[in-house]
Amino acid sequence: MSKHAKLLEKILTGTADVNIPFDGLCRLLQRLGFSMRVRGSHHIFYCTGVEEILNLQPRGGSAKPYQVKQVRNVVLKYKLSEEKL
């Protein structure tokens, strides 16, 4: 199991939203097909076929827990996975 798959599993279980590394979350979203643009500390992710736009900011080296929940909801809603790419 790759580190991206482990991180995706950790996000989908929802048990450790506080301990998700921000850089890992950004890389995972890009592997899932999202494009990224950066405005200051705001990392904005968008993808064709996905209505929501994800706006993430780091808290230290970790992602904010409520933003991890937003990512989880989008991944589950659109059934995103690396296998579909």
Side-chain angles (χ1 to χ4, degrees):
M1 183 180 270
S2 71
K3 66 180 178 178
H4 297 289
K6 287 180 185 179
L7 181 61
L8 182 59
E9 183 180 319
K10 192 175 180 182
I11 290 169
L12 293 178
T13 58
T15 57
D17 288 353
V18 178
N19 297 325
I20 303 296
F22 183 76
D23 290 337
L25 185 61
C26 290
R27 282 192 301 268
L28 178 68
L29 285 170
Q30 289 176 324
R31 287 180 63 101
L32 291 175
F34 283 83
S35 299
M36 177 179 76
R37 64 184 173 96
V38 179
R39 290 267 193 191
S41 66
H42 294 256
H43 293 67
I44 302 161
F45 292 89
Y46 55 95
C47 182
T48 56
V50 176
E51 187 176 316
E52 290 85 353
I53 295 173
L54 299 169
N55 185 355
L56 309 179
Q57 304 91 35
R59 177 185 291 161
S62 298
K64 295 180 180 180
Y66 79 92
Q67 293 173 344
V68 175
K69 184 177 179 183
Q70 289 175 345
V71 170
R72 178 174 46 254
N73 291 338
V74 167
V75 169
L76 292 173
K77 179 178 178 181
Y78 294 98
K79 297 176 178 58
L80 301 175
S81 67
E82 292 184 68
E83 291 81 35
K84 289 187 175 181
L85 300 177

